[in-house]
Amino acid sequence: MGIPSFIRKNLFWGLLGLLVISFFGRNNYKSVGNIAPEVLQDPIQTPLAASAPITFKANGYVYELEPLYHYEISAMLVHKLNYRTFTIYNFDKVFPFDLCLIWGENLSKKSYRAGTLSFSQDCRFCWAQWREPIAFNLTQISNNHLLMSNRKFERIVGFLVYGDQIKITGKLVNVKARKIGSG
C-alpha cells in the first residue's frame, strides 16, 4: 500500500514551494539575525614599507599595482556586482568583482533591516538609499574592488550571497593601466 496520489501531489508542491522560498530567501541581508562581533569593528589599514610595484599583462593592458596598505575588513555583504557578466571594458575582466559591504553601527543598530533601505552598484560605486528616517552611518559602507590572483578565490566570491558576514585580508593598491602599444 503506497501513499495516496493526492498526498504525494500536495507533498511535491509543498516541497517545491519550500525550495523556491529557501532559494530566494538565502540572498536576503535583511533576515540576518546573528551578527558576529568582528563585523562591528572598523576596517584596519596599516601602511606598508616601500614595496616594489607588481606588474602584469592582461586583456590588452599592462597593469602596475603600487601596494600602499595592508587591509583587513570584516563586514556584511549587501550587494555584489560581477563585471564579467556584462561589461564593455577589457579591464573589468581583471577586476571582476565589487563587493558592497557594511559594518559597525549599521549592523549593531540593525539599520540594515529598515524597510526602505536598499543597495545598488554601478560604475564601481556602491549606493545606499532609503525613504524613512534611519540611523545609517555612511562612513561604515564601502565598495571593495577585488583583484584576485587565484581562481579559487574568484569561485568563493562568486558563491557569496547577500547577508554573508565575511573577512577580506589583502593589500590596498593604486592601479595604473596602460593599453599595450600606447605610450
Side-chain angles (χ1 to χ4, degrees), residues 3-171:
I3 299 173
S5 66
F6 75 92
I7 292 177
R8 279 186 299 184
K9 187 175 172 182
N10 288 335
L11 185 61
F12 169 77
W13 287 111
L15 289 174
L16 181 62
L18 185 61
L19 180 66
V20 168
I21 290 168
S22 297
F23 177 78
F24 288 107
R26 74 175 174 59
N27 209 9
N28 181 1
Y29 58 87
K30 291 183 189 272
S31 66
V32 173
N34 294 328
I35 300 297
E38 53 271 16
V39 299
L40 302 176
Q41 306 302 312
D42 285 334
I44 300 168
Q45 298 180 34
T46 309
L48 293 172
S51 56
I54 302 163
T55 305
F56 64 94
K57 295 178 184 179
N59 298 320
Y61 288 84
V62 174
Y63 293 88
E64 184 178 297
L65 309 177
E66 177 190 1
L68 301 173
Y69 296 90
H70 175 75
Y71 181 66
E72 187 175 302
I73 184 171
S74 294
M76 181 191 293
L77 177 68
V78 292
H79 206 272
K80 174 175 72 170
L81 192 56
N82 181 347
Y83 285 94
R84 286 196 175 136
T85 305
F86 173 77
T87 184
I88 59 173
Y89 301 108
N90 282 335
F91 54 81
D92 281 341
K93 294 175 182 137
V94 176
F95 305 92
F97 289 103
D98 276 2
L99 301 182
C100 182
L101 303 174
I102 62 171
W103 63 90
E105 293 175 3
N106 293 329
L107 299 174
S108 65
K109 293 182 177 181
K110 307 231 182 279
S111 301
Y112 66 96
R113 288 184 160 182
T116 64
L117 177 66
S118 65
F119 299 92
S120 60
Q121 287 173 282
D122 192 18
C123 300
R124 301 287 179 174
F125 289 94
C126 175
W127 309 99
Q129 54 191 350
W130 59 90
R131 293 182 307 272
E132 61 190 279
I134 63 171
F136 191 82
N137 186 339
L138 288 171
T139 66
Q140 295 180 331
I141 181 174
S142 67
N143 195 47
N144 294 255
H145 318 299
L146 301 183
L147 171 63
M148 297 166 274
S149 60
N150 185 318
R151 288 280 187 197
K152 175 184 168 188
F153 294 130
E154 287 187 29
R155 281 191 299 278
I156 291 169
V157 171
F159 284 113
L160 293 175
V161 295
Y162 304 163
D164 283 348
Q165 296 172 59
I166 64 172
K167 179 177 184 176
I168 299 172
T169 302
K171 297 197 177 5

